[in-house]
Amino acid sequence: MAEKNAGSKKSTDKVSKSATKSRAKTAKPKPRKRAARKPTNAPLLQRIKQRTLRTLWHLIWKGSLACIVVVAFYLVYLDAKITKQFEGNKWQLPVQVYARAMTFYPDQYLSEDEVLWELKRLNYSQVNRINRTGQYVLQGRTIEVHRRSFNFHDGSEQARTFILNFAGKKLASIVDKNGRRVNSARLEPVQIARIGNESNQDREFVPLEKFPNILKQALLVVEDRDFYEHHGVSLWSIMRAFYTNIKVGRTVQGGSTLTQQLAKNFYLTRERSIVRKINEAFIALILDYRYSKDEILEAYLNEVYLGQAYNQGVHGMGLAAEFYFAKPVDELEFDQIALLVAMVKGPSYYNPRRYPERVQERRDLVLRLLAESGHISTNEFRLALARPIKIQTLKNSLHKSYPGYLELVNRELKKRLPNQEIVNAGVRIFTYFDLQKQSAMEQSIGAGIPYLERRFKTKQLETAMISVNIEKGGVSALVAGREVRYNGFNRVLDTKRNIGSLVKPAVYLTALEQSQYNLGTLLDDSPLQVTDEAGDTWKPENFDHKFRGYMPLFRAFSRSINIPVVNLGLDIGVHNVVESLNKLGIEEKINQYPSLLLGAIELSSFDVAQMYTTIASGGQYRKLTSISAMTDAVGRVLYEHNVDAQKRFSADASYMTKYGLKRVTKDGTARRINAHFPSIQLAGKTGTSNDLRDSWFAGFDHNTVTVTWLGRDDNRPTGLTGASGALELYIRYLKPLNPQAIADARPAGVRWAFVNEKTGKQAPPGCGKVIQLPIRSSEFEPRPKCVQ
């Protein structure tokens, strides 16, 4: 039984196993059996990972390539921008205006005082022995000068030494340092103004070779010792500066190279950011690759900011030398060079005018670094260290010290050179401006107007004065109002007033051009009435309301009697007088009224100066100008004044007219001049308008015509005649100067003859009241008869 059960159990087990196997074959796999799935999922994850890595790699290298392309394009853009600015006009340079250059030649009418005055204005130093430019030695009546080099409009001249020997009132001779006589010499002109531009930056461009070596060395020692070794950016400089500053305990060196500083100043803003520093590095690398070290250093020396002159930034070592020390950069002492280099770190913080002690400490550090590096000796270091800081006062650094004159220059500049781009490229204007005459004119006005207001109990007087060089027609001095520094309304150019008796020389000149008139011709001084075509009546009066009957022309001229000149003008024709005024240089339309003969014409002081310059030059017309020449920054001539004289009146008539003007200063309305200058022959004419509203005087010596106007802006009476007002200012103006007596050569068509004042005819001496006058040779009688 047991065996049977056992067999049955085995049989059952076999069936069971067989059924199980069968179910196993047909049943679906259960989820929990994951061991069989691992081999199938592992490759998928690996593939996903690989795809992700490949995607990231593509993004990285494409992004990097894009960045490289962007940076490359940006560098190309920077390179083009840098090249265009660096190789073109780097800066908008100011217009530089110069006075006339004092010129010397043998037998010149010149005094030692005039030369010494000019040398002082040029900041020359008086020494016992000359050892460099900008110095002079005064010994007896000899002045030895070591003139600086200068780029004149007619060519560049190197520094030179010459000796001026004086005798009497003249320059006797000029010799060079070897004792050889020379025909001429000249000083460099004084710069009188720097007219700024839209950039509000001012600089004086100086080529690298003209900077003293010690200045370059000082700058490199303090700011960038490895300048000639690095490639625009220097990590070593940054590390060394960091170490030095920690060692000293304060910031004495910067980490940026000079090239980086130039990049920042030249192309970037002062913003502090990572982006700006990156740009700065890029630009520095490009500059270093593109240009030589000397080109970069030259640009830096001319670009660096070193202070503020009112609204104009002072840029460059060249201008800073003038601004702070009134010297060219190549004449600076060691301590002055150290001070400028010290200021590079922070011109506002190290402003020598505001913080002298702070600046001195920094200056001394620069000197110490120079000594330690062996660029100056121990003795030179001690001497420089002991020198106090002396800075030119800011009031002497004004950009527009002579606003009236500069207004005239500016108007002419716009006519001669309308292209503003050329003007901003550093135009240099050479003028006829004479500093000594300008100074004398300003002193005359400053003291004379208050004196006149007190004496004549008047007030609110205004003035206009102008002086002109007769030979060139160049305006040498101009004051546009009693406030000589006020840059406003220009009364010389824009105030037009009745000129009164200043018109009379034009009437006499017109008459003397005709053969029937001479200086002895008798003119009628009797009551006169003139009726025009409209029926209006004009009754001219003499100033003193008196009548003298017949009188010789020269006497009516010198005493400025009204009625005789009206009679004369009516006889010769008012239209002829108008023509003469136009020939003298009056360009505006003139109404042909009889009242014109007594000055019923409104002219500016400039117009009057033009008129009298033609008379003073013997009838030769030269259009007045302030500009003698203009050059660009490299010395190329852009404009040069052609002194083209046009003969508009005969030499005979001009000579006789000038004689009449000389008599005005000897015994006529301006005879006060003779009292002040008894040994000097001068000429001139007073003028007074109706109701004493305008006071005029036009006078001249051998070289210069000067016109003076006094009046009120509201055109109310002043109580002044030409003799009491304007003449006073003219006399004061001449006092500090060295006026030269008029010495006219007598024309061949003129002879001197004795003329009887009563008859107006030639007469022998002793035949009544006779006077010697210049007359035409054709009228001369060798043996005149005595007719009374």
Side-chain angles (χ1 to χ4, degrees), residues 277 438 697:
K277 290 297 292 183
Q438 181 73 22
F697 184 75

Side-chain angles (χ1 to χ4, degrees), residues 604-620:
S604 68
S605 303
F606 189 87
D607 294 331
V608 175
Q610 177 70 78
M611 171 181 165
Y612 273 79
T613 300
T614 305
I615 294 173
S617 61
Q620 302 283 333

